[in-house]
Amino acid sequence: MRPLLAVNDWGMNEMQGAELRDCDYGSAPSPACFTPPSQHGCSPPTHHSPPRADVGHGPARFRRTSAEAAQMKVFLGWVLTYVLCLAAVRKMWSSRYLRSHLSRSLYMNMLSPNQAPYWEVSHQWYLCDKEKLSEELQPIFVQSFLDQGTQTFLNRSIEKSGWLSIQLYHSFMSSVFSMFMSRTSINGLLGRGSMFVFSPEQFQRLLKVGPDWKSHRLLDLGAGDGEVTKVMSPHFEEIYVTEMSQTMIWQLQKKKYRVLNIDEWQSTGFLYDVISCLNLLDRCHQPVTLLKEMRSVLEPTRGRVILALVLPFHPYVENGK
């Protein structure tokens, strides 16, 4: 048996391949205990000490460093995603969005699924006291009514509000995207937030026209996703819309409407038979200027402007423009 001795690096050149002769294994090794391999007529042993690692140099070291850096990036990305998800969930459950009446109604609906919905028990339509209107408005005021189209929209909206999984999904996605998108753009991205102003029958009654009435050109300012435009569109040959939110513009383009830039519709040279401005005056920073521009492009003899405004008037510019 010829065991090898572990030696220091400084003695590796002399000790490598040396053969151990009779010596005291309990004592420290001495030069007399070693015989050069040439004296025994044999080749040096095949056992070699591992080469020194050249720390800090070579392609292996570079590959190992790159792999560690990639792993660190993946780990940091995972941690960041986890923190963002926690923040979004916290905001979803603590913000005013889920403390709204809709969220409370959803929660109560899940607790008592057999309870009859409030709209089936009793409902009250909006009524206006005409005596409080000015003398100029009283004869031309048109009272809206709860027709079949309106009831269908209400039933569909209330039914969707009871879909727990959809509501939680919308709430979570809204909380995440609200960090860098407006509420209108989020609604356009998620395909929600459609506005209802009037049904086809209410629109005809407001303009005092019949189902077969036709006109030439319609301009819908701030059209949103185009659902209200769709109510008016059967009566017009050309339909133009404007919108600031890019996601809502995508929705309008899918409906094949002609989208004009918000600074373009005033200078196209067109005169419009009907201009609709629905829930927009309190969302722009210059409402009086907007009214003047609408008048300048309205057909002077038969043109009509349809305005919808939430009262009391509280201006709020969502996009800062």
Side-chain angles (χ1 to χ4, degrees):
M1 179 176 181
R2 299 176 180 176
L4 293 178
L5 293 179
V7 297
N8 293 330
D9 291 343
W10 56 267
M12 185 63 65
N13 293 332
E14 293 92 354
M15 307 293 286
Q16 184 175 0
E19 182 180 42
L20 184 65
R21 295 184 283 105
D22 295 337
C23 63
D24 185 5
Y25 290 105
S27 61
S30 62
C33 296
F34 295 92
T35 304
S38 58
Q39 296 181 6
H40 294 274
C42 60
S43 60
T46 57
H47 301 283
H48 301 281
S49 62
R52 278 186 216 177
D54 193 4
V55 179
H57 300 281
R61 175 67 178 177
F62 177 76
R63 287 193 298 269
R64 184 168 63 253
T65 304
S66 300
E68 292 174 352
Q71 293 176 357
M72 181 60 66
K73 290 181 180 179
V74 172
F75 175 74
L76 292 178
W78 181 86
V79 171
L80 180 60
T81 303
Y82 180 74
V83 172
L84 290 177
C85 290
L86 288 180
V89 171
R90 183 180 182 277
K91 181 179 180 181
M92 181 178 65
W93 287 104
S94 62
S95 67
R96 60 180 178 84
Y97 184 75
L98 280 186
R99 292 179 179 177
S100 64
H101 176 71
L102 173 62
S103 302
R104 291 192 296 269
S105 299
L106 174 62
Y107 178 70
M108 295 303 298
N109 184 40
M110 298 301 299
L111 291 180
S112 54
N114 297 325
Q115 182 179 358
Y118 72 90
W119 67 90
E120 294 182 0
V121 177
S122 63
H123 63 263
Q124 180 179 0
W125 189 244
Y126 294 102
L127 296 177
C128 179
D129 187 358
K130 295 178 63 175
E131 298 299 328
K132 296 183 179 180
L133 299 176
S134 63
E135 296 181 357
E136 294 81 5
L137 292 179
Q138 287 184 11
I140 60 176
F141 174 77
V142 178
Q143 174 65 52
S144 187
F145 56 94
L146 181 61
D147 62 355
Q148 184 60 41
T150 307
Q151 188 66 63
T152 300
F153 173 81
L154 292 175
N155 292 340
R156 185 171 62 251
S157 300
I158 296 171
E159 179 184 3
K160 289 182 177 180
S161 68
W163 296 347
L164 179 60
S165 59
I166 296 298
Q167 294 300 321
L168 291 178
Y169 167 74
H170 285 163
S171 300
F172 177 78
M173 298 302 294
S174 297
S175 300
V176 173
F177 287 120
S178 63
M179 301 176 185
F180 48 87
M181 294 177 66
S182 66
R183 177 65 60 183
T184 301
S185 297
I186 294 174
N187 289 336
L189 183 65
L190 299 178
R192 60 177 310 201
S194 297
M195 183 172 61
F196 182 91
V197 179
F198 38 63
S199 65
E201 293 78 12
Q202 292 170 349
F203 173 75
Q204 296 166 16
R205 184 177 180 183
L206 180 63
L207 267 62
K208 298 180 180 180
V209 297
D212 299 330
W213 175 76
K214 295 289 183 180
S215 190
H216 183 48
R217 192 176 286 125
L218 166 69
L219 173 63
D220 190 7
L221 299 175
D225 62 354
E227 288 300 311
V228 180
T229 313
K230 186 167 62 176
V231 174
M232 302 181 287
S233 60
H235 298 283
F236 298 92
E237 299 174 0
E238 298 180 9
I239 303 167
Y240 299 86
V241 296
T242 67
E243 180 56 51
M244 290 187 63
S245 170
Q246 184 59 51
T247 58
M248 288 298 185
I249 291 177
W250 296 339
Q251 299 289 341
L252 293 169
Q253 290 173 341
K254 287 194 295 185
K255 294 180 172 67
K256 307 300 182 181
Y257 296 137
R258 305 179 188 180
V259 181
L260 300 178
N261 192 276
I262 58 174
D263 299 323
E264 179 186 4
W265 62 272
Q266 307 92 330
S267 56
T268 57
F270 296 151
L271 291 179
Y272 301 94
D273 299 287
V274 173
I275 300 177
S276 60
C277 182
L278 309 177
N279 296 341
L280 182 62
L281 287 180
D282 56 345
R283 294 295 183 264
C284 64
H285 67 298
Q286 292 181 331
V288 176
T289 301
L290 178 61
L291 291 172
K292 292 179 179 179
E293 292 174 342
M294 291 165 56
R295 182 176 183 179
S296 66
V297 297
L298 186 65
E299 212 286 334
T301 58
R302 61 179 184 276
R304 303 181 186 184
V305 173
I306 304 177
L307 292 176
L309 183 64
V310 178
L311 297 176
F313 184 77
H314 291 297
Y316 170 70
V317 181
E318 184 179 45
N319 292 285
K321 295 183 180 181

